[in-house]
Amino acid sequence: MKFRVIGRLRPVVACHCEQCKRTSGNYVAATSAPQHAVSIWGEVHWYQSSDVARRGFCPTCGANLFWDGPGQCLSIMAGALDKPTGLALIGHIFCREKGDWYDIPDGERRAAENDLAMTAKVWD
């Protein structure tokens, strides 16, 4: 399975919600792109993780690749991208649900829940 994104990606946001922790074993770091800008070749296994969202996994290795929820964008796990990405982490969301085994570095932007200023479209 391969995918390609045409155009710019949103900066990376770390999500500390319970679902992300359970699916990854830790928090996830994801970027996003408009759905029409993402081309996927091969099979993705989709899991309906809530009433409004689904997660896409590689059928060969089980890697967590995508989060597809409301809106026009597809979230892409930052670790699934080839380097160099040119991306940077801009902050953390759902910090209220953060694991007790790690710390978020001082000075990094945080939100107790979702923060549309971080997760909304940020492209030129």
Side-chain angles (χ1 to χ4, degrees), residues 31-78:
T31 182
S32 71
Q35 290 176 352
H36 66 79
V38 181
S39 299
I40 300 172
W41 295 272
E43 188 178 358
V44 175
H45 284 194
W46 291 99
Y47 172 74
Q48 193 70 40
S49 55
S50 73
D51 292 341
V52 297
R54 64 186 185 153
R55 295 177 181 276
F57 298 88
C58 174
T60 303
C61 70
N64 184 12
L65 300 172
F66 307 110
W67 182 87
D68 186 20
Q72 310 260 333
C73 295
L74 179 67
S75 291
I76 303 163
M77 300 306 132

Side-chain angles (χ1 to χ4, degrees), residues 18-28 64 101-102:
E18 291 295 331
Q19 238 181 48
C20 282
K21 287 194 322 246
R22 292 182 191 283
T23 196
S24 70
N26 205 8
Y27 62 89
V28 301
N64 184 12
W101 61 90
Y102 61 89

Side-chain angles (χ1 to χ4, degrees), residues 7-11 32 34 36 120-124:
R8 292 192 51 178
L9 293 164
R10 184 201 70 206
S32 71
H36 66 79
K121 181 179 167 188
V122 186
W123 305 275
D124 293 334

Side-chain angles (χ1 to χ4, degrees), residues 73-96:
C73 295
L74 179 67
S75 291
I76 303 163
M77 300 306 132
L81 298 169
D82 292 335
K83 293 188 240 175
T85 66
L87 298 173
L89 180 76
I90 61 166
H92 303 260
I93 58 173
F94 291 98
C95 293
R96 181 178 303 154

